[in-house]
């Protein structure tokens, strides 16, 4: 299920990287594209939330009026929401979770740039990381979570050794990724 989102994200960020030759700029442009795609959903959610906040004083009046009769209270609140066109259904805060569904796969794409941006397999990425670790272990911290990010920066420096370890590696991969921002 995760690949359904990470592969297109990786392709898009890879395309934007090729277009800009800058990793940071590619991520910023990607962010703008995602925001444009989410704009209708966000607008609908905000509109519904504004309607709900506008009728909140009247909801409180109904709650006080029917404090002892929960069924009557719920019916009156539902009627008010229907009259005002303010419902918590699909327009409520459920849509606030959509960015989270984008953020989690995006984090994986960002932390695995050799796989998703340079287009190498996970095995090749692991081999690249191990080769660079053998050559210069001081580059890597104890946290292996971002090893591909560190390795992607160091690929050009160790291109000859990586080419010897992985003879069929592409020339584009041996150029690494430009992490310098502007």
């Amino acid at each position: 299920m995760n690949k359904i989102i990470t592969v297109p994200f990786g392709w898009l960020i890879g395309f934007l990287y090729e277009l800009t030759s800058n990793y940071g700029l590619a991520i910023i442009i990607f962010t703008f594209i995602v925001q444009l795609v989410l704009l209708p959903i966000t607008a609908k959610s905000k509109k519904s939330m504004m309607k709900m906040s506008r009728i909140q004083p009247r909801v409180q009046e109904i709650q006080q009026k029917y404090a002892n009769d929960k069924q009557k209270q719920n019916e009156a609140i539902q009627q008010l929401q229907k009259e005002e066109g303010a419902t918590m259904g699909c327009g409520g805060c459920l849509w606030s979770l959509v960015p989270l569904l984008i953020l989690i796969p995006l984090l994986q794409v960002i932390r695995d740039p050799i796989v998703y941006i340079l287009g190498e397999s996970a095995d090749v990425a692991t081999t690249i990381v191990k080769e660079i670790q053998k050559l210069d272990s001081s580059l890597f911290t104890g946290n292996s979570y971002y090893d591909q990010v560190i390795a992607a920066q160091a690929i050009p420096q160790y291109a000859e050794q990586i080419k010897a370890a992985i003879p069929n590696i592409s020339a584009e991969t041996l150029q690494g990724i430009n992490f310098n921002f502007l």
Side-chain angles (χ1 to χ4, degrees), residues 119-168:
E120 296 294 342
S121 69
D123 294 334
V124 170
T126 302
T127 305
I128 291 170
V129 170
K130 286 181 181 178
E131 284 298 314
I132 294 174
Q133 282 176 333
K134 278 194 278 185
L135 297 166
D136 190 358
S137 61
S138 66
L139 289 175
F140 298 88
T141 62
N143 183 1
S144 64
Y145 200 69
Y146 294 101
D147 283 352
Q148 278 194 40
V149 173
I150 295 165
Q153 289 176 308
I155 288 174
Q157 185 179 353
Y158 301 105
E160 305 251 343
Q161 295 90 334
I162 294 169
K163 179 77 171 160
I166 311 167
N168 60 346

Side-chain angles (χ1 to χ4, degrees), residues 38-151:
L38 292 178
L39 189 63
I41 294 170
T42 305
K44 183 177 180 179
S45 176
K46 297 286 185 196
K47 187 176 178 181
S48 179
M49 290 163 88
M50 288 172 58
K51 285 181 182 178
M52 287 300 290
S53 65
R54 189 174 40 226
I55 65 168
Q56 193 59 36
R58 292 169 54 193
V59 169
Q60 289 174 347
E61 288 174 12
I62 292 171
Q63 288 172 338
Q64 289 174 355
K65 183 176 179 181
Y66 300 110
N68 297 330
D69 190 357
K70 293 291 182 190
Q71 183 176 355
K72 190 82 166 167
Q73 181 183 28
N74 287 338
E75 289 173 3
I77 290 173
Q78 287 177 353
Q79 181 63 30
L80 175 63
Q81 288 175 341
K82 187 177 179 181
E83 289 171 3
E84 295 293 328
T87 60
M88 285 304 291
C90 291
C93 49
L94 180 65
W95 290 109
S96 300
L97 298 176
V98 172
L100 201 62
L101 296 174
I102 291 171
L103 187 62
I104 292 169
L106 179 61
L107 179 61
Q108 185 170 352
V109 170
I110 290 171
R111 78 176 184 93
D112 294 342
I114 297 172
V115 172
Y116 292 106
I117 294 171
L118 295 178
E120 296 294 342
S121 69
D123 294 334
V124 170
T126 302
T127 305
I128 291 170
V129 170
K130 286 181 181 178
E131 284 298 314
I132 294 174
Q133 282 176 333
K134 278 194 278 185
L135 297 166
D136 190 358
S137 61
S138 66
L139 289 175
F140 298 88
T141 62
N143 183 1
S144 64
Y145 200 69
Y146 294 101
D147 283 352
Q148 278 194 40
V149 173
I150 295 165

